[in-house]
Amino acid sequence: AQRVTQPEKLLSVFKGAPVELKCNYSYSGSPELFWYVQYSRQRLQLLLRHISRESIKGFTADLNKGETSFHLKKPFAQEEDSAMYYCALTYGNKLVFGAGTILRVKS
Amino acid sequence: NAGVMQNPRHLVRRRGQEARLRCSPMKGHSHVYWYRQLPEEGLKFMVYLQKENIIDESGMPKERFSAEFPKEGPSILRIQQVVRGDSAAYFCASSPLQGNGYTFGSGTRLTVV
């Protein structure tokens, strides 16, 4: 079955520290993977998609098919990065989401 | 372009009442998706609609829940005889193409008392 696992409910780091939000997936085929961000109960916004291989707000994510992972990374966390982050994959008509990880960046 | 508009933002219903959640997709988007976010859980797919058609309702509970996307007007997610377990945030997304280019609304937070 298609599944997205985000093992950490909460990740707390200090400002300026590196960040890695973990995401593992199970999918039979070639997945299309995304990271979405939700700031303080606002709407979900697309942060990254693996196809575009771009960097947004300093975040990057690399698809590792061997490890079935799509971890989100940023070298230096900023306070405004505090939010809920969701990893998701496309399956047919729908997005399958992980449970989300709350990132708290402390000053 | 106002984006995906959902209303109301907050909805309180007593057990047994009906809840109607509205979603107006982005201009030019004819595909609408509804997701439910339960406390401590991620978003779960409920239903995918195109104008006047339900394409995939595999995530909809079998009873009390229904969705429509009429030719004119917003998409409606309707929950009859609400129970406490229906309390959640309901998000709508729209896209110009099937399964691609999703834009999410701000959600409706339903509280059943």
Side-chain angles (χ1 to χ4, degrees), chain A residues 23-76:
Chain A
C23 172
N24 289 90
Y25 66 90
S26 62
Y27 184 82
S28 53
S30 293
E32 187 172 355
L33 283 147
F34 305 83
W35 276 99
Y36 282 85
V37 60
Q38 187 179 26
Y39 297 103
S40 190
R41 297 197 167 196
Q42 294 180 19
R43 68 185 68 209
L44 265 76
Q45 302 172 39
L46 178 64
L47 184 63
L48 284 177
R49 53 191 306 175
H50 89 273
I51 286 178
S52 58
R53 299 184 65 83
E54 57 195 339
S55 171
I56 304 291
K57 299 184 179 183
F59 285 97
T60 59
D62 289 318
L63 178 60
N64 186 322
K65 290 187 178 180
E67 295 182 358
T68 60
S69 68
F70 188 55
H71 302 328
L72 183 68
K73 299 177 184 178
K74 184 168 182 176
F76 308 104

